[in-house]
């Protein structure tokens, strides 16, 4: 769930397996409607100075035997702009706590009995990128934190498709699909006055 000063709700499901949407390889195109909706979402998110979010993540991994198995973890995220961030991660493969207070970033990895604290840049965007690089973290929810999610998400996009209005947990959403050189992703954005991301597949 995401809560802001306006008491907005978000259930974000984040899946770790691309689903093969059948983009036309020979003629990738950018659909203006998909970009416009992503922009609306971005503007709405960056207008929230304080919010919390809960995400349920699943990750598909291939074993040495060739069998595909799935792992999961939950993330509780709290953001207070311009320089406050906390992320609690609990699940099958990782259990950790990350915080940023405007001066330092701290990481507690309970599984590995590991704790680190580093001086960090004074802005949230810079501190987050510094932390991802310094701690070698994977943070698919990072777009929620950045000041311009659209720019972050579309930096390497080579194709964008608008797939129509589909429901996520009963909520009508614009279904968008994007392709890049290394990563494809889909995102479901709630229709109406609160264009919240409701589901992401990477």
């Amino acid at each position: 769930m995401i809560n802001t000063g306006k008491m907005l709700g978000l259930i974000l499901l984040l899946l770790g397996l691309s689903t093969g949407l059948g983009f036309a390889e020979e003629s990738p195109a950018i659909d203006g409607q998909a970009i416009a909706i992503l922009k609306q979402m971005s503007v709405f998110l960056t207008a929230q100075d304080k919010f919390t979010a809960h995400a349920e993540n699943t990750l598909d991994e291939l074993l040495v035997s060739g069998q595909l198995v799935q792992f999961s973890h939950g993330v509780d995220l709290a953001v207070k702009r311009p320089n406050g961030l906390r992320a609690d991660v609990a699940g099958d493969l990782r259990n950790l706590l990350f915080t940023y207070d405007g001066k330092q970033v701290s990481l507690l990895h309970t599984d590995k009995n590991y704790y680190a604290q580093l001086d960090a840049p004074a802005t949230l965007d810079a501190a987050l990128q510094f932390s991802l690089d310094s701690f070698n973290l994977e943070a698919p929810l990072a777009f929620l934190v950045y000041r311009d999610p659209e720019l972050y998400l579309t930096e390497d996009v080579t194709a964008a498709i608008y797939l129509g209005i589909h429901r996520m947990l009963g909520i009508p959403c614009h279904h968008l699909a994007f392709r890049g050189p290394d990563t494809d992703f889909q995102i479901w954005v709630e229709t109406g006055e609160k264009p919240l991301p409701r589901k992401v597949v990477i």
Side-chain angles (χ1 to χ4, degrees):
M1 280 285 170
I2 260 196
N3 293 308
T4 70
K6 299 180 181 179
M7 299 301 291
L8 306 175
L10 165 64
I11 299 172
L12 181 63
L13 301 178
L14 184 67
L15 307 178
L17 179 64
S18 178
T19 58
L21 293 171
F23 285 90
E25 294 290 349
E26 64 279 5
S27 58
I30 301 295
D31 187 325
Q33 186 176 7
I35 298 298
I37 292 169
L38 198 68
K39 179 68 173 179
Q40 292 172 0
M41 181 201 75
S42 179
V43 170
F44 185 78
L45 287 176
T46 56
Q48 315 306 318
D49 290 328
K50 182 180 180 181
F51 65 86
T52 61
H54 176 76
E56 291 295 332
N57 300 257
T58 61
L59 175 67
D60 294 315
E61 291 205 2
L62 195 64
L63 300 180
V64 176
S65 64
Q67 183 175 358
L68 191 66
V69 295
Q70 189 173 87
F71 299 100
S72 64
H73 64 271
V75 180
D76 287 298
L77 182 70
V79 176
K80 185 177 181 181
R81 304 188 196 281
N83 54 13
L85 175 64
R86 177 188 174 104
D88 292 90
V89 180
D92 300 330
L93 300 178
R94 67 198 68 174
N95 293 276
L96 55 89
L97 169 64
F98 173 84
T99 61
Y100 169 61
D101 62 5
K103 297 180 180 179
Q104 294 180 316
V105 290
S106 302
L107 179 68
L108 173 63
H109 202 311
T110 55
D111 294 327
K112 298 181 179 179
N113 196 27
Y114 170 83
Y115 176 77
Q117 189 174 67
L118 298 172
D119 292 334
T123 65
L124 191 52
D125 280 21
L128 181 56
Q129 189 58 55
F130 169 79
S131 302
L132 295 177
D133 296 337
S134 299
F135 296 131
N136 194 28
L137 296 175
E138 295 179 2
L141 289 181
F143 75 91
L144 292 172
V145 178
Y146 284 116
R147 264 298 180 184
D148 192 345
E150 181 210 359
L151 181 63
Y152 174 81
L153 289 170
T154 61
E155 183 177 7
D156 297 319
V157 161
T158 58
I161 297 177
Y162 179 75
L163 296 172
I165 296 179
H166 299 153
R167 290 184 175 269
M168 167 45 51
L169 299 179
I171 299 170
C173 295
H174 298 290
H175 185 182
L176 316 176
F178 301 88
R179 164 154 284 189
D182 302 311
T183 304
D184 297 348
F185 70 94
Q186 300 171 69
I187 186 165
W188 286 252
V189 179
E190 183 175 344
T191 62
E193 298 179 354
K194 299 176 181 178
L196 291 166
R198 291 288 180 174
K199 178 181 177 181
V200 178
V201 173
I202 302 174

